[in-house]
Amino acid sequence: MKKCLITLSLITVMSFMARAQNFSATINSVVNSTVSGTPTLAAFTTDAEIEAGLVTAPVTFAVKSNRLWKLMTSISNVVGTAIGGGPATITAPLQPLNISWGVINGASGTVTGWNPFANATPTTTTAVEAKTGSRGAPAVSGNTFTLQYKVIPGFDVDPGTYAVTVVNTISAQ
């Protein structure tokens, strides 16, 4: 009988030794993108191109995010350099209002609506929201998209070579 009581006491003590433990997990916001392509532009060589404009090569974004996200785009600088056959000094330069942007869902297709930039200064714009998306990987609808720019100089812009700096910023909403 004594032996049986000791065994019961040990089982009771062991059952009280199991305790719950807690841990915390901090998950930070992550918005990441892979960008492929460069917005290159051919030279304007005909009056039709100067009047109707040319479209840049596509830039494709593939976004991974655990938050809703947005892409802001802006022009931070336009610098003109005089060329042979044009005026020695550029007095009527290409401005951001001569440039529009457009988005294509997916990696290929055609922009259906061009959105003109508005000058903040003669060479810069205020950032505009170009695209928003949902959390998930690039396979989530809308998280892979293409951005293109269209330049329509018109006949009021001096001949020259213009370097346009575009800034695209993806951030959590």
Side-chain angles (χ1 to χ4, degrees), residues 16-91:
F16 286 112
M17 293 188 70
R19 294 186 181 173
Q21 294 179 324
N22 297 320
F23 69 91
S24 64
T26 302
I27 301 171
N28 293 319
S29 292
V30 174
V31 180
N32 193 355
S33 68
T34 302
V35 181
S36 59
T38 303
T40 56
L41 188 67
F44 290 85
T45 57
T46 68
D47 58 343
E49 291 171 345
I50 290 171
E51 209 166 24
L54 292 175
V55 177
T56 65
V59 178
T60 301
F61 295 79
V63 180
K64 292 190 286 188
S65 179
N66 63 354
R67 300 258 323 259
L68 299 177
W69 56 268
K70 65 181 173 186
L71 171 77
M72 303 294 286
T73 188
S74 65
I75 295 173
S76 70
N77 203 20
V78 178
V79 176
T81 305
I83 59 171
T89 304
I90 293 176
T91 57

Side-chain angles (χ1 to χ4, degrees), residues 69-151:
W69 56 268
K70 65 181 173 186
L71 171 77
M72 303 294 286
T73 188
S74 65
I75 295 173
S76 70
N77 203 20
V78 178
V79 176
T81 305
I83 59 171
T89 304
I90 293 176
T91 57
L94 180 74
Q95 295 187 29
L97 52 80
N98 296 103
I99 304 169
S100 300
W101 57 271
V103 173
I104 304 164
N105 279 325
S108 64
T110 305
V111 173
T112 56
W114 293 101
N115 305 287
F117 283 106
N119 285 16
T121 72
T123 62
T124 66
T125 67
T126 303
V128 293
E129 187 177 286
K131 177 84 171 127
T132 60
S134 50
R135 62 185 63 166
V140 170
S141 180
N143 282 7
T144 297
F145 62 95
T146 300
L147 185 62
Q148 286 185 286
Y149 299 92
K150 183 175 187 176
V151 180

